[in-house]
């Protein structure tokens, strides 16, 4: 049973933890390495190449940590895009190039603004469909639970539609979409 405090995206039904699992291990390893390299740069390389006294320690700590965290986050975002783009049927090479070329993380922001819905397959005919579709466009197989009257999304555990009040037990919903067998 999942914790009720888990953050869930209402559009895709995925949790924040599910999205975090998309970040590959190679990306986490490179992000840790980048964090250490930036720390090395701020604490070892920069102080040796200065002709004037160093700034106060508080400033050095703040800038070292913030720049290290930003660089590591940048690598993690590239790793996330490398796993998320294929599941949304988007060009992996194009979006990785955009994320790497655009300065300051603008490429990652563009990716999140322009990304497509998650693509799934119809269980009956195998047609690629968007995750928010209720019925397959090729064979009319019901893919997700929806109200039989207003056709809006409903939870598999709902007894009545939250939008129109329709009795969902009266609908002819496939058993694979019901939480409890009647």
């Amino acid at each position: 049973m999942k914790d009720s405090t888990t953050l869930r995206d209402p559009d895709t039904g995925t949790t924040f933890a599910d999205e975090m699992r998309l970040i590959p291990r190679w990306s986490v390893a490179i992000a840790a390495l980048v964090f250490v390299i930036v720390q090395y740069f701020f604490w070892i390389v920069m102080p040796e190449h200065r002709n004037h006294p160093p700034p106060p320690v508080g400033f050095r700590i703040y800038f070292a940590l913030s720049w290290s965290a930003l660089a590591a986050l940048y690598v993690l975002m590239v790793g996330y895009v490398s796993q998320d783009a294929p599941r949304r049927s988007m060009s992996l090479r194009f979006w990785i190039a955009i994320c790497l070329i655009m300065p300051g993380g603008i490429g990652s922001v563009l990716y999140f603004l322009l990304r497509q819905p998650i693509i799934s397959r119809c269980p009956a005919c195998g047609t690629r469909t968007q995750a928010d579709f209720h019925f397959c466009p090729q064979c009319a197989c019901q893919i997700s639970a929806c109200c039989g009257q207003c056709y809006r999304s409903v939870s598999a555990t709902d007894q009545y539609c939250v939008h129109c009040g329709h009795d969902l037990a009266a609908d002819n919903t496939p058993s694979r979409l019901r939480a409890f067998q009647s």
Side-chain angles (χ1 to χ4, degrees):
M1 191 111 180
K2 287 197 173 187
D3 184 17
S4 62
T5 61
T6 306
L7 295 175
R8 183 170 293 283
D9 183 7
D11 295 331
T12 63
T14 59
T15 62
F16 180 74
D18 293 337
E19 295 293 320
M20 292 302 289
R21 283 189 209 102
L22 283 178
I23 300 173
R25 289 186 178 149
W26 62 263
S27 180
V28 174
I30 293 174
L33 181 65
V34 165
F35 187 88
V36 170
I37 289 171
V38 173
Q39 288 291 318
Y40 174 79
F41 178 76
F42 268 95
W43 293 103
I44 306 297
V45 175
M46 278 183 63
E48 291 181 5
H49 290 66
R50 293 186 180 231
N51 296 331
H52 49 81
V57 175
F59 282 121
R60 290 176 66 192
I61 291 172
Y62 170 75
F63 283 114
L65 288 177
S66 62
W67 281 92
S68 296
L70 285 173
L73 181 64
Y74 189 72
V75 172
L76 291 174
M77 288 303 301
V78 170
Y80 176 83
V81 168
S82 74
Q83 298 297 312
D84 189 51
R87 77 180 184 147
R88 295 177 185 272
S89 293
M90 297 172 67
S91 173
L92 174 64
R93 290 181 181 159
F94 174 77
W95 283 106
I96 292 294
I98 292 293
C99 288
L100 292 175
I101 292 171
M102 300 290 282
I106 294 173
S108 298
V109 172
L110 280 175
Y111 173 77
F112 282 106
L113 289 174
L114 300 174
R115 70 182 181 168
Q116 302 296 317
I118 295 176
I119 303 297
S120 59
R121 294 204 178 268
C122 171
C125 68
T127 301
R128 297 166 60 106
T129 62
Q130 292 182 8
D132 59 344
F133 283 6
H134 297 299
F135 297 94
C136 175
Q138 297 298 317
C139 69
C141 174
Q142 189 170 1
I143 298 171
S144 64
C146 66
C147 174
Q149 185 172 340
C150 68
Y151 294 104
R152 291 186 181 170
S153 295
V154 294
S155 176
T157 58
D158 291 346
Q159 299 293 323
Y160 297 93
C161 177
V162 296
H163 303 287
C164 69
H166 177 68
D167 182 10
L168 297 174
D171 291 343
N172 190 16
T173 306
S175 61
R176 63 184 164 72
L177 297 178
R178 286 190 223 123
F180 307 105
Q181 301 301 325
S182 332

